[in-house]
Amino acid sequence: MENSEELCLVCNDISSGYHYGVPSCNGCKTFFRRTIMQKHIFVCQHEKNCSVDRSIRCACRYCRFEKCLKVGMDRSALQASRDRIGYTKRTRKPKRKEVSFSSSSSMSPQNIFYPESPGYAQKAYETYWSYVASREKASNELRLSAYAPKRSLKEALCSKSLLNDPIFLSNHMIVSSRHTYTELRFITQSDYHYWHERDWFVLTEYAKTFKVFNELSYNDKAALVRHAAITIPSLNQVYNSPDHGPDTVVFPDGTYYDRTHEPTRPAGLNRKKYQVLDLVLKPFREIEIKFNEFAAFKAITFLNPDADVSYLAKLAINEERVAVTKQLYAFMIRNDGIEKAIKRFSRLILIGTSMSKMACESKEAVWIADFFENIGYTSFAKELFFGERNSEEE
Amino acid sequence: MENSEELCLVCNDISSGYHYGVPSCNGCKTFFRRTIMQKHIFVCQHEKNCSVDRSIRCACRYCRFEKCLKVGMDRSALQASRDRIGYTKRTRKPKRKEVSFSSSSSMSPQNIFYPESPGYAQKAYETYWSYVASREKASNELRLSAYAPKRSLKEALCSKSLLNDPIFLSNHMIVSSRHTYTELRFITQSDYHYWHERDWFVLTEYAKTFKVFNELSYNDKAALVRHAAITIPSLNQVYNSPDHGPDTVVFPDGTYYDRTHEPTRPAGLNRKKYQVLDLVLKPFREIEIKFNEFAAFKAITFLNPDADVSYLAKLAINEERVAVTKQLYAFMIRNDGIEKAIKRFSRLILIGTSMSKMACESKEAVWIADFFENIGYTSFAKELFFGERNSEEE
DNA sequence: TCAATAGGGTCAAAGGTCCG
DNA sequence: CCGGACCTTTGACCCTATTG
């Protein structure tokens, strides 16, 4: 206390307290721990008498470590490694303001032009399912990755799907450290927000993997994606949630929701939550939906001719939808036999009605929420839900 | 003191006394308190059987907390607020272990088994279809008759179904002279009104022909009928409409509507009209739906677990719904062969999603219409849509 | 009254996280 | 891949109300 600032005995930097028995700075503390934990053995390039000082402490790790020992750092103060604590950066206390417009938006909408990949047409059974499965797999990997571009709805819908771009896939499909967890934590408004944005982004890339989608007009594309904006994210959330009991949906970052009423959210969104639990999660678990089945069901849900699209678009979408449905049924027959297949198939397809209702009610809830500014949607989300100010229907 | 050093039952470190009912060390005591107060939910990275010992007690927080509970730490010993609750009674130390009153968690709380209801099984194919057909036939005859009682929703829902009453049927099932026509005429507001009332009346009688319906509570009955109040009348109207072209729905009295925009009606109801034409009428015609198929589809539409009914009601309704669906499928297989059946079946079932959306949007439109008093609903209709003033949810 | 007990709170110093 | 600023977690120590 007498001296406001004690110095690190190793390097003379300002000490951040006593570590391993010695007043020391953060750097030397961490260096000491890591060296021991990782059992590093350094070699001095000189005479084992390098000076260790704030400015040059990293120059010779051998001498730095020797200095640590010499000033009395105590290896026995090291503990057994602890449980992981999960992602920290994002929950950091905000500095003050953190506007940071910096991020150079104009550049890097790179390779919008990629040759149309030709492989869509041939739908032999195996080919069909391998495509469905790889679409679903890639979609989920994208969801787990850290990649999240900022762009307008039009850019999002008219570019080529990242999921069809092998170069992108090999470069970016790494699970973000944010999307792992060691602890569940009840979801907050800002978590909902994060996952909405993320799932909407993934939805746009998902949509563009459908040939029929890419052939629509921009307005129809927007309408179809808008119509799917509640259901597809919900399906992703439910299917990919680890099983923590029948009434809990867990996100990849360990946030979860359950039946707890959340009074700060609009009533419509609370209701949606119960619908998801009762009418989607529960049946999925009961019929033990398989990966391919889920992938097909998601496609069927996406290809919804009820969206406010043009009449011709409805026809095209429905045609594709029926084709997928037929494949799904064939798949189930193969695996379950006809007796069981029909039961599971019916059960699964009937979930569609629940999805439909949910989408409709939630859209309304979203509208109301936005009206009362309960929820801070981004401009992308607003564009998605409400269309652009110009050139939209109704 | 008799025993020089008691050990922490959780981690075998030296105990600092009894905490939360168990001899335990400072660390485990604090860990337990914090975990509960901050509502942590940990996730084990391994097999939920990590050992917990002094040296490695921090390695897995999930297993450490489980051990706390297992050795009998008592969450209720935590005090909600320091100065309000006061201190727990100090009884003499429980001798050692075997804290028998442990309200511990290891007993899983949720083994909620609902008895599988057994009764529905015996539905021989023919018996089933003859019942479905006669229900549908009677329902339509009632619709065409002149009979139209005035009564409250409660009276309507809790009485015996007229369609099951042979005396009533033989006395009243005569086509009303009002329900014939020689000439089409465009529908007016008051015609809509007339047919709404009529179809809602028929709906109540239809509903009561379902065993599962009669077993519901009154509130659930009302909710289910309310949920069907848009869809079932639409189905009746569409299926029973004579074919005057792909975009025209004709009522039994010769009134009709088509794609003409009706500016005096709320926008939501105009939209519903297009949905009915595009997403119900058209597919019905295209797949050439048969009488039995329609009857089953209507039942499936009616038996909608998405209605705001109790959870148990949802289960019961869904069970019946799946049973009907299965029968419908079997019927189609018999008639069409498997290849064609699956196509028609999928197409038909997927109409359900359109019905769902329509119901939801129309309900909203009806609400808005009522709000602005655009449409003069009767008190029965208001009761149907909005419930009674008392005893309703939300 | 007061020592002993068992609650809750605190904060230095452990360990973990993740840009640059 | 490493450094270290920054974050969370831990637990020894402290305070306090209750009890015998």
Side-chain angles (χ1 to χ4, degrees):
Chain A
M1 182 72 84
E2 28 54 84
N3 206 346
S4 60
E5 293 180 345
E6 207 163 4
L7 296 184
C8 171
L9 291 190
V10 180
C11 74
N12 294 319
D13 199 354
I14 294 167
S15 152
S16 68
Y18 276 66
H19 303 293
Y20 311 106
V22 168
S24 42
C25 68
N26 254 316
C28 292
K29 158 196 142 183
T30 310
F31 173 78
F32 184 73
R33 180 178 64 241
R34 257 201 300 252
T35 300
I36 291 172
M37 278 195 332
Q38 297 170 24
K39 296 181 172 42
H40 275 132
I41 299 177
F42 305 123
V43 175
C44 180
Q45 307 293 110
H46 305 93
E47 314 298 327
K48 301 192 179 178
N49 60 0
C50 308
S51 60
V52 179
D53 214 25
R54 170 176 164 64
S55 55
I56 55 167
R57 64 189 171 203
C58 299
C60 177
R61 297 194 289 170
Y62 175 90
C63 289
R64 189 184 191 184
F65 185 61
E66 286 302 309
K67 183 91 179 276
C68 285
L69 295 172
K70 191 175 125 198
V71 300
M73 281 194 173
D74 178 8
R75 8 172 37 115
S76 69
L78 278 161
Q79 304 171 350
S81 64
R82 294 183 181 171
D83 203 357
R84 299 172 53 213
I85 62 174
Y87 186 85
T88 56
K89 217 63 181 176
R90 206 47 87 113
T91 50
R92 222 174 198 156
K93 287 174 206 165
K95 214 39 125 346
R96 170 65 126 238
K97 61 204 317 182
E98 46 169 303
V99 186
S100 77
F101 289 100
S102 58
S103 65
S104 70
S105 58
S106 64
M107 43 126 293
S108 79
Q110 71 278 44
N111 47 18
I112 289 179
F113 293 99
Y114 241 73
E116 264 298 303
S117 66
Y120 288 100
Q122 78 288 42
K123 283 181 182 170
Y125 185 81
E126 286 78 11
T127 316
Y128 176 81
W129 283 107
S130 84
Y131 185 62
V132 166
S134 67
R135 165 200 284 146
E136 189 56 35
K137 187 159 165 289
S139 159
N140 198 44
E141 284 175 359
L142 181 62
R143 182 168 181 253
L144 293 178
S145 79
Y147 190 77
K150 283 249 181 288
R151 54 189 182 175
S152 72
L153 187 62
K154 187 148 203 161
E155 285 166 344
L157 295 183
C158 296
S159 52
K160 184 172 174 297
S161 178
L162 298 171
L163 303 180
N164 283 334
D165 178 348
I167 298 173
F168 173 84
L169 293 180
S170 63
N171 286 342
H172 290 89
M173 289 311 210
I174 305 156
V175 174
S176 162
S177 63
R178 181 175 174 163
H179 298 152
T180 62
Y181 63 96
T182 55
E183 181 177 349
L184 299 189
R185 140 180 101 68
F186 199 84
I187 195 162
T188 67
Q189 198 62 253
S190 85
D191 295 317
Y192 275 122
H193 195 260
Y194 175 81
W195 283 107
H196 283 155
E197 293 290 329
R198 185 127 205 100
D199 275 317
W200 289 332
F201 158 59
V202 174
L203 170 60
T204 60
E205 298 311 310
Y206 176 81
K208 288 179 291 181
T209 62
F210 288 86
K211 180 159 177 280
V212 65
F213 180 83
N214 291 319
E215 289 164 354
L216 299 178
S217 71
Y218 172 69
N219 278 344
D220 284 347
K221 282 181 184 174
L224 188 57
V225 168
R226 186 174 304 140
H227 196 267
I230 298 292
T231 52
I232 298 299
S234 295
L235 287 180
N236 283 336
Q237 289 161 19
V238 166
Y239 179 74
N240 293 299
S241 167
D243 192 344
H244 283 276
D247 285 333
T248 305
V249 170
V250 181
F251 288 77
D253 58 356
T255 56
Y256 74 96
Y257 65 80
D258 55 20
R259 302 194 83 84
T260 310
H261 178 72
E262 297 172 65
T264 59
R265 305 193 81 210
L269 293 181
N270 266 298
R271 200 157 47 225
K272 177 199 147 201
K273 198 170 79 166
Y274 302 131
Q275 288 173 343
V276 169
L277 292 174
D278 291 337
L279 303 172
V280 184
L281 180 64
K282 191 165 178 301
F284 272 12
R285 297 262 168 91
E286 282 178 0
I287 69 171
E288 296 180 328
I289 189 170
K290 297 180 184 65
F291 179 77
N292 279 0
E293 293 166 351
F294 171 75
F297 180 67
K298 196 171 121 179
I300 291 168
T301 305
F302 174 69
L303 296 165
N304 193 329
D306 297 336
D308 291 324
V309 295
S310 68
Y311 183 67
L312 284 176
K314 277 183 205 287
L315 290 184
I317 292 166
N318 197 53
E319 187 179 354
E320 184 63 17
R321 175 186 234 200
V322 169
V324 179
T325 308
K326 203 168 161 183
Q327 291 285 351
L328 169 62
Y329 182 74
F331 178 87
M332 290 174 119
I333 293 274
R334 270 203 193 192
N335 287 285
D336 298 331
I338 189 154
E339 186 62 23
K340 190 175 169 198
I342 170 60
K343 181 158 183 156
R344 295 182 74 243
F345 180 74
S346 306
R347 190 83 196 277
L348 185 56
I349 295 297
L350 285 173
I351 295 176
T353 64
S354 306
M355 304 290 303
S356 231
K357 184 182 187 224
M358 199 173 74
C360 173
E361 290 187 347
S362 298
K363 192 175 167 186
E364 184 189 351
V366 164
W367 198 91
I368 292 167
D370 183 76
F371 185 77
F372 290 108
E373 296 178 35
N374 275 337
I375 296 181
Y377 286 112
T378 62
S379 61
F380 179 86
K382 283 182 179 157
E383 220 183 328
L384 179 58
F385 274 109
F386 312 118
E388 297 172 284
R389 198 162 293 107
N390 52 356
S391 85
E392 272 302 293
E393 43 98 47
E394 193 107 332
Chain B
M1 199 49 137
E2 28 70 59
N3 209 343
S4 59
E5 289 179 346
E6 207 162 5
L7 296 185
C8 170
L9 292 189
V10 179
C11 74
N12 295 318
D13 198 353
I14 295 166
S15 153
S16 68
Y18 274 66
H19 304 292
Y20 312 106
V22 167
S24 42
C25 68
N26 256 315
C28 292
K29 160 195 144 183
T30 310
F31 173 76
F32 185 74
R33 168 163 41 92
R34 253 197 310 250
T35 299
I36 288 170
M37 284 196 325
Q38 297 171 34
K39 297 181 167 48
H40 283 301
I41 302 177
F42 303 122
V43 174
C44 179
Q45 309 291 115
H46 305 94
E47 309 299 322
K48 301 191 179 181
N49 58 1
C50 308
S51 57
V52 179
D53 212 33
R54 167 169 166 65
S55 57
I56 53 166
R57 64 187 170 204
C58 297
C60 177
R61 293 177 292 166
Y62 175 90
C63 289
R64 187 184 192 183
F65 186 63
E66 285 301 306
K67 183 91 179 276
C68 287
L69 294 171
K70 192 172 129 201
V71 301
M73 280 195 174
D74 178 9
R75 349 167 66 101
S76 67
L78 278 149
Q79 300 162 356
S81 169
R82 188 55 187 270
D83 37 37
R84 206 155 307 155
I85 299 296
Y87 283 68
T88 50
K89 298 272 187 191
R90 215 158 350 124
T91 55
R92 63 237 181 299
K93 293 180 189 176
K95 190 51 199 130
R96 178 61 78 76
K97 48 192 73 170
E98 303 322 318
V99 188
S100 57
F101 57 12
S102 66
S103 61
S104 75
S105 71
S106 57
M107 303 301 297
S108 73
Q110 69 259 53
N111 274 2
I112 308 172
F113 278 96
Y114 295 106
E116 277 293 307
S117 83
Y120 295 113
Q122 82 304 24
K123 280 183 180 166
Y125 187 81
E126 288 77 11
T127 317
Y128 177 82
W129 283 108
S130 82
Y131 185 62
V132 166
S134 67
R135 166 200 283 145
E136 190 55 37
K137 186 158 165 290
S139 160
N140 199 43
E141 284 175 358
L142 181 62
R143 183 167 181 253
L144 294 177
S145 80
Y147 190 78
K150 283 255 181 282
R151 52 189 183 175
S152 72
L153 187 62
K154 187 149 203 161
E155 285 166 343
L157 295 184
C158 295
S159 53
K160 187 166 172 299
S161 177
L162 299 171
L163 303 180
N164 283 334
D165 179 349
I167 299 173
F168 173 84
L169 292 180
S170 61
N171 287 343
H172 290 88
M173 288 313 211
I174 306 154
V175 174
S176 161
S177 62
R178 175 163 181 176
H179 299 153
T180 59
Y181 64 96
T182 53
E183 185 178 340
L184 296 190
R185 106 189 127 69
F186 199 83
I187 194 163
T188 66
Q189 197 60 255
S190 86
D191 294 320
Y192 273 125
H193 196 259
Y194 174 81
W195 283 106
H196 282 155
E197 293 291 328
R198 184 122 209 103
D199 274 316
W200 288 333
F201 157 61
V202 174
L203 170 60
T204 60
E205 298 311 310
Y206 176 80
K208 288 180 291 181
T209 62
F210 287 86
K211 179 160 175 280
V212 65
F213 180 83
N214 292 318
E215 288 164 355
L216 299 178
S217 71
Y218 171 69
N219 278 342
D220 285 347
K221 283 180 184 173
L224 189 57
V225 167
R226 187 173 303 140
H227 196 268
I230 298 293
T231 52
I232 298 301
S234 296
L235 287 180
N236 284 336
Q237 290 161 20
V238 167
Y239 180 72
N240 293 300
S241 167
D243 191 345
H244 284 275
D247 285 334
T248 305
V249 170
V250 182
F251 288 78
D253 56 358
T255 57
Y256 75 97
Y257 66 80
D258 56 21
R259 299 194 86 85
T260 311
H261 180 71
E262 298 171 64
T264 60
R265 306 192 79 210
L269 293 181
N270 265 300
R271 199 159 47 225
K272 178 197 146 202
K273 198 171 77 169
Y274 302 132
Q275 288 173 340
V276 169
L277 292 174
D278 291 337
L279 302 172
V280 184
L281 180 62
K282 190 164 178 303
F284 272 12
R285 298 262 167 90
E286 282 177 2
I287 69 172
E288 297 179 326
I289 190 171
K290 298 181 181 66
F291 180 75
N292 279 1
E293 292 167 349
F294 171 75
F297 180 67
K298 194 170 123 180
I300 291 168
T301 305
F302 174 68
L303 297 166
N304 193 329
D306 297 335
D308 291 324
V309 296
S310 69
Y311 183 68
L312 285 175
K314 278 181 205 290
L315 291 183
I317 292 166
N318 197 53
E319 188 178 356
E320 185 63 16
R321 174 186 235 202
V322 169
V324 178
T325 309
K326 202 169 162 181
Q327 292 286 348
L328 169 62
Y329 180 76
F331 179 86
M332 290 173 121
I333 293 273
R334 270 201 195 196
N335 288 284
D336 299 330
I338 189 154
E339 187 62 23
K340 188 174 170 198
I342 170 60
K343 181 158 183 153
R344 295 183 74 244
F345 180 74
S346 305
R347 189 83 197 277
L348 185 56
I349 295 296
L350 285 172
I351 295 176
T353 65
S354 306
M355 304 290 300
S356 234
K357 185 184 186 221
M358 198 173 74
C360 174
E361 289 187 349
S362 299
K363 192 175 167 187
E364 185 189 350
V366 165
W367 198 91
I368 292 167
D370 183 77
F371 185 78
F372 291 108
E373 296 178 33
N374 276 337
I375 297 182
Y377 286 112
T378 62
S379 63
F380 179 85
K382 282 182 180 159
E383 220 182 329
L384 180 57
F385 274 109
F386 312 118
E388 298 171 285
R389 198 162 294 107
N390 53 356
S391 85
E392 272 302 296
E393 45 98 46
E394 195 108 327

